[in-house]
Amino acid sequence: MSRFKSEKSASGARSIGIRDIARSAGVSTATVSRFLNKPESVGADLRDKISRVIDETGYIPHASARALSSRRTRTIGAIVPTVDNAMFAQGLQALQSYLATKDYLLLLATNEYDIDVELQQARNLVARGIDALILRGDERHPILRRLLETNGIPFVNVGLCEPAKPYPSVGVDNYEAGRVLARYITDLGHRRVAVVAAHQRNNDRAQARLRGIIEVLEQQACAPGPGWQLQVDYNLADAGDAARILLQGESRPTAIICGNDVIAYGVMLAAIRMGCDVPRDLSVVGFDDLDWSRHLLPSLTTIHMPTNEIWVRAGRYLVDLLAGQAPIKHQQVDFSLVLRESTAPPPKT
Amino acid sequence: MSRFKSEKSASGARSIGIRDIARSAGVSTATVSRFLNKPESVGADLRDKISRVIDETGYIPHASARALSSRRTRTIGAIVPTVDNAMFAQGLQALQSYLATKDYLLLLATNEYDIDVELQQARNLVARGIDALILRGDERHPILRRLLETNGIPFVNVGLCEPAKPYPSVGVDNYEAGRVLARYITDLGHRRVAVVAAHQRNNDRAQARLRGIIEVLEQQACAPGPGWQLQVDYNLADAGDAARILLQGESRPTAIICGNDVIAYGVMLAAIRMGCDVPRDLSVVGFDDLDWSRHLLPSLTTIHMPTNEIWVRAGRYLVDLLAGQAPIKHQQVDFSLVLRESTAPPPKT
DNA sequence: CCAAGGCATGTAACCGGTTACATATCATCG
DNA sequence: CGATGATATGTAACCGGTTACATGCCTTGG
C-alpha cells in the first residue's frame, strides 16, 4: 500500500520536501541543504537554480526535521515571572527583535513567581529543544540546575550581576542601586522613612535592593521599624493598601521608598487620595523608570534601569556562545538616579 | 567508526532516548510511545514499570522528533502588534496559562503594526510547525491567507467579531462599543466633542470604534471637524501632544473620546498639567478598562473589555478544533460601559 | 471445543531534514 | 607531467520518535 502514502485523507496534498526541490533543480538533497544553511558553499549557477525553484514552490523547510537531524533548534527560551508587567514586556520585546535579526526564535514561559512552576516550565522548554535559556534572577529550584547541566543547555541570569557566582549574569547592581536611592532620600533631610518593597521570597533582586536601602537608613540612624517595612504584590491595589496603612497613624513617614515604579505609583495615588500633597507632605520614589513614570503627575523620581539593553545583552551573550565565541561572562550595566517631581525635602512642621 | 558515535566531543553523553527506556523496561519502543501518548492503552503492570524507569532516568521525550513523526507540534502561534502593551500582555498571559493546561505551548510573534512583518513572522511560525494560529484583527497580507490555507493551518481572529466573514473570530462588537461610548457623552450634554483615536491604518478595531463614535456624533449634529479628529500612536507622550493641540485654541472641546485607555490617560495627564480640571472642565473617556484605569486620579470612565476571556476563548476554539470537535465559529463577547470619575456634564458657561 | 473477535504488545518503515564520507573536477607546484 | 590539495557535489546513514500492521493471548458464543 505504500504507493498510496501521499494520498492521505482526501485533502492531503503532502507538503513538498527537500527531495522535491532537489529533483526539480536537478541536484542532490545535500546541495539543497547546503544552500539553505551555507549558501556561499554552493556554486553560483546551482545557487540560482535552487533559489528559483524554492521561490516558485514556496517551499518552507520543516523546522522539526531540521532540529532533529542537526540537534539545534535556533530557539532560545526565556522564563519570566509574568508578561503582564510593563518591565518584562518591554525587555522581552527588545530581546525578541534582537533574536529575530539573528534568526533565532524566542520561546517564552512564565513562572508566576513560583520556583516549582519554573522547573515545570523549564522541563517543557527543554523538551521543546531550546538551545539556550534566559532566566530572571538567581534563585531557583536545585533540580533546575541539574536539568540544564545534564542537557547541556547554556543559560544566563538577567536582572542582576554577581561576578562572584559561577553562572553568567547581565544586570545592574541592585544593592548599590538601593543604596543610591536611599542615600538621596536621607540627603534631602528625611529621617522618617518607610519602605514598601516587593515580596522578598524567591526574588533576589528585591532582596538586594532592600538590603541596600536598609543599610543606608541604618547608617543614618533612621532604620524603619517593622511597621514601616511592608511587602506587597506587584500591583497598584496592594500598594495603595500599604500606603493607607502607613499614612493613617499619628506619626507618619515623610518619605516612602518603594520597591519599583508600580508600587510607587500605587502608593502615590493612594496618598493623594488621602489628601497628601506629593511631594510637599510626602516624597515617593521607585525603581525601574517605566515608560510612563516621567508622565505621571507628579512625575516620579526613580532609578533608571536600561531594561532593553540588559535583555538584548543577555540574548547576545547566548547567541555568541552558541556561535562558538567566548563572550564576557558577567556584564554589569549602569543604572542612574532620575530626579523628578515626586521628591522634596521633608516638611518643616 | 560508527561504534564511536556516542562519544562526541568529550562532554557528549548522548541523551537517552525512547529505545533506552524500552530496553530498561523490557518492552518495545512502541509500548513506551503509547504510554507517553495514551497511557490507558497500556497494561497496568507495564505502565508502572515504564513510569518508574522514566522517573529514574529523567527522560524527556524529544519534541522535534515527536513533531516530525506525528506531524503535530502541540504548539499554537499568536501574532500581536507588540507585547509591550498592557492589554496584549494581560490577554496573552491568560491564553498561555490556558494552553498550558491543555499541554499546548504558545509561540509568540509580533508584527509591529506592519502587515509585511506579520507575513514574515507567520512564515517563521509555520516553518516552526505550529498547529494553529491566533491573529489580531482582520486586516492582513493577502499572501498570508494563502500561506495558511496551503499549509492547512487553522486560525482565528481575535478582538473583533464579524459573523458575516468566513473566518472564525472571537471578540466584541467594536462599532457598537464606539456608539455606546459616544452616546454616553452626548447624553451627558456634551456637544463640543473631540476624538483622539489610535492610528487607523491596518487596524480594523480602531476603525470600527471610530466609525461608531462619529456616527453617533453626526446624529447629534456635533460631528468633530478635521481639527478635532486626531490619530496618535499608542503611548502617553503622543496622546499628550494631541491634548495640547486640542486645548490650546480659543474654542475648546468639553469632552475628548479616546481610542483606548492609554491614549485617554495621556490626554488626561496633559490636560491636568495645562490647568484643566477633569472632569469639571473636560470629560475624558477611553476603551479597554486596563487594570490601572480604576486607580487613576481621576479614575477613568471607559468601556470594559473582557480581554482574558477573549483570548482564552480563542485558544479554546483552536484546541477544540484540533481535537476534532466543531466549536462555535463566531463568538461575540459582551463589553460594558464603566462609569467613573473622569466624566461629568459640560461646564455651564 | 473451536471459530471469531477484542486487546495488549512487538516489528520496522517512515517523518524530512543534516552531514560524514566518497567522488569528481580543476588549479598548482616541484 | 604527475602528484597534491582545494573545491564542489552526490550518496546514504542517521536523528528520535510514531504508527500501520503483524502477532499472540484471552474471552465469548454457538
Side-chain angles (χ1 to χ4, degrees):
Chain A
M1 288 295 200
S2 73
R3 68 177 187 277
F4 291 154
K5 72 182 172 189
S6 64
E7 301 185 23
K8 58 190 66 140
S9 74
S11 80
R14 194 180 57 79
S15 69
I16 52 181
I18 200 171
R19 286 168 177 87
D20 303 298
I21 302 298
R23 196 173 335 108
S24 298
V27 300
S28 72
T29 61
T31 302
V32 177
S33 178
R34 278 189 283 263
F35 169 81
L36 256 24
N37 297 300
K38 237 177 28 152
E40 69 278 11
S41 73
V42 176
D45 43 347
L46 288 188
R47 200 155 56 207
D48 288 353
K49 200 181 298 179
I50 295 171
S51 169
R52 203 168 316 120
V53 173
I54 288 182
D55 281 350
E56 279 168 10
T57 55
Y59 165 70
I60 296 182
H62 192 295
S64 296
R66 238 173 162 168
L68 179 57
S69 54
S70 70
R71 263 160 291 186
R72 307 192 66 226
T73 56
R74 291 201 83 81
T75 299
I76 287 181
I79 304 181
V80 297
T82 166
V83 285
D84 183 10
N85 171 321
M87 222 207 348
F88 297 140
Q90 197 188 326
L92 290 171
Q93 177 70 41
L95 173 63
Q96 211 231 19
S97 300
Y98 168 74
L99 290 180
T101 68
K102 298 297 179 183
D103 211 16
Y104 270 86
L105 193 74
L106 175 65
L107 208 44
L108 193 58
T110 57
N111 62 20
E112 327 259 350
Y113 295 98
D114 181 329
I115 58 174
D116 292 317
V117 174
E118 177 168 274
L119 177 60
Q120 184 47 47
Q121 294 284 12
R123 282 218 176 87
N124 228 312
L125 292 177
V126 170
R128 240 68 194 195
I130 51 172
D131 290 340
L133 182 59
I134 299 181
L135 292 162
R136 178 82 186 165
D138 192 25
E139 296 213 346
R140 57 191 91 272
H141 206 293
I143 293 181
L144 179 51
R145 291 233 164 76
R146 270 232 316 279
L147 177 71
L148 296 177
E149 221 162 90
T150 62
N151 289 73
I153 295 175
F155 67 95
V156 55
N157 295 326
V158 307
L160 47 71
C161 180
E162 309 216 13
K165 298 273 180 80
Y167 308 109
S169 56
V170 178
V172 305
D173 182 339
N174 284 286
Y175 165 76
E176 189 56 31
R179 288 185 59 96
V180 167
L181 191 57
R183 188 64 197 234
Y184 168 68
I185 289 296
T186 56
D187 282 355
L188 274 177
H190 292 277
R191 285 299 177 274
R192 302 169 57 197
V193 181
V195 179
V196 182
H199 277 299
Q200 302 283 298
R201 206 174 112 71
N202 298 327
N203 187 337
D204 39 68
R205 279 103 46 223
Q207 286 165 21
R209 289 175 184 183
L210 183 58
R211 198 151 30 84
I213 294 166
I214 297 295
E215 203 173 290
V216 167
L217 295 181
E218 276 169 355
Q219 283 167 6
Q220 302 295 326
C222 60
W228 278 17
Q229 273 196 47
L230 304 179
Q231 291 181 20
V232 300
D233 275 346
Y234 189 103
N235 65 59
L236 295 177
D238 282 21
D241 292 343
R244 279 181 282 275
I245 292 172
L246 289 173
L247 298 175
Q248 74 188 348
E250 301 276 301
S251 123
R252 301 172 163 200
T254 61
I256 301 180
I257 302 179
C258 301
N260 58 54
D261 279 7
V262 172
I263 295 175
Y265 193 32
V267 165
M268 210 159 74
L269 282 172
I272 296 172
R273 275 200 193 272
M274 292 175 76
C276 258
D277 183 322
V278 177
R280 217 191 49 201
D281 305 333
L282 179 73
S283 290
V284 178
V285 294
F287 276 87
D288 294 346
D289 193 19
L290 296 185
D291 180 47
W292 42 255
S293 295
R294 66 180 209 281
H295 294 288
L296 299 180
L297 209 72
S299 58
L300 191 66
T301 294
T302 186
I303 297 280
H304 176 79
M305 296 282 176
T307 312
N308 290 8
E309 192 188 340
I310 290 174
W311 285 92
V312 170
R313 277 211 206 187
R316 180 155 43 222
Y317 172 85
L318 291 175
V319 169
D320 288 352
L321 194 68
L322 290 172
Q325 301 170 32
I328 307 169
K329 201 165 180 184
H330 296 280
Q331 301 187 46
Q332 179 155 329
V333 182
D334 291 336
F335 60 87
S336 58
L337 176 63
V338 185
L339 303 183
R340 299 215 180 89
E341 302 166 350
S342 68
T343 43
K348 300 287 179 205
T349 352
Chain B
M1 286 295 200
S2 73
R3 67 176 186 277
F4 292 155
K5 72 183 173 191
S6 63
E7 301 185 23
K8 57 190 66 144
S9 73
S11 80
R14 194 181 59 78
S15 68
I16 52 180
I18 200 170
R19 287 170 177 85
D20 303 297
I21 302 299
R23 198 174 332 108
S24 299
V27 300
S28 72
T29 61
T31 302
V32 177
S33 177
R34 279 188 282 261
F35 169 82
L36 257 23
N37 297 300
K38 237 177 25 153
E40 69 277 12
S41 73
V42 176
D45 44 347
L46 288 188
R47 201 155 56 204
D48 288 352
K49 200 181 298 179
I50 295 171
S51 170
R52 204 168 316 121
V53 173
I54 288 182
D55 281 350
E56 278 168 11
T57 54
Y59 165 69
I60 297 181
H62 192 295
S64 295
R66 236 172 163 169
L68 178 57
S69 53
S70 71
R71 261 160 289 185
R72 308 191 68 227
T73 56
R74 290 201 84 81
T75 298
I76 288 180
I79 305 182
V80 297
T82 166
V83 285
D84 183 9
N85 170 320
M87 224 211 341
F88 297 139
Q90 198 187 324
L92 290 171
Q93 177 70 41
L95 173 62
Q96 211 231 18
S97 300
Y98 168 73
L99 290 180
T101 69
K102 298 296 180 183
D103 211 17
Y104 271 85
L105 193 75
L106 176 65
L107 208 44
L108 194 58
T110 56
N111 63 19
E112 327 258 349
Y113 295 97
D114 181 330
I115 57 174
D116 291 317
V117 173
E118 177 168 273
L119 176 60
Q120 185 47 46
Q121 294 284 10
R123 282 219 175 87
N124 229 313
L125 291 177
V126 171
R128 240 68 194 196
I130 51 172
D131 291 339
L133 182 59
I134 299 179
L135 291 162
R136 177 83 186 164
D138 191 25
E139 296 213 346
R140 57 192 91 272
H141 206 294
I143 294 181
L144 179 52
R145 291 234 164 76
R146 270 234 314 281
L147 177 71
L148 296 177
E149 220 162 274
T150 62
N151 290 73
I153 295 175
F155 67 94
V156 55
N157 295 326
V158 307
L160 45 71
C161 179
E162 309 216 14
K165 298 273 181 78
Y167 308 107
S169 57
V170 178
V172 304
D173 182 338
N174 284 286
Y175 165 75
E176 191 55 32
R179 287 185 59 95
V180 168
L181 191 57
R183 188 63 198 236
Y184 168 68
I185 289 296
T186 57
D187 281 355
L188 273 179
H190 291 277
R191 286 299 175 276
R192 301 169 58 196
V193 181
V195 179
V196 182
H199 277 300
Q200 303 282 299
R201 207 174 111 71
N202 298 327
N203 188 338
D204 40 67
R205 278 104 44 224
Q207 287 166 21
R209 289 176 184 182
L210 183 58
R211 199 150 30 84
I213 294 166
I214 297 295
E215 205 172 289
V216 167
L217 295 181
E218 277 170 352
Q219 283 167 4
Q220 303 296 326
C222 59
W228 279 16
Q229 273 195 48
L230 304 179
Q231 291 181 19
V232 299
D233 275 346
Y234 188 104
N235 66 58
L236 295 177
D238 281 22
D241 291 344
R244 278 182 282 276
I245 292 171
L246 291 172
L247 298 175
Q248 74 189 347
E250 300 276 300
S251 123
R252 300 172 163 199
T254 61
I256 300 181
I257 301 178
C258 302
N260 60 53
D261 280 6
V262 172
I263 294 175
Y265 193 31
V267 165
M268 210 160 72
L269 283 173
I272 295 173
R273 274 202 193 271
M274 292 175 77
C276 260
D277 183 320
V278 178
R280 217 192 49 201
D281 305 333
L282 179 74
S283 289
V284 178
V285 293
F287 276 86
D288 294 345
D289 193 19
L290 296 186
D291 180 47
W292 41 255
S293 295
R294 68 178 207 281
H295 295 287
L296 299 181
L297 209 71
S299 58
L300 191 65
T301 293
T302 186
I303 297 280
H304 176 78
M305 297 282 178
T307 313
N308 290 9
E309 191 188 340
I310 290 174
W311 286 92
V312 170
R313 279 210 204 189
R316 181 156 43 221
Y317 172 85
L318 292 175
V319 169
D320 288 351
L321 194 67
L322 291 172
Q325 301 169 32
I328 306 168
K329 201 164 179 183
H330 296 280
Q331 302 185 45
Q332 179 154 329
V333 182
D334 291 336
F335 61 87
S336 59
L337 176 63
V338 185
L339 304 183
R340 299 216 182 88
E341 302 166 349
S342 67
T343 43
K348 299 288 176 193
T349 1

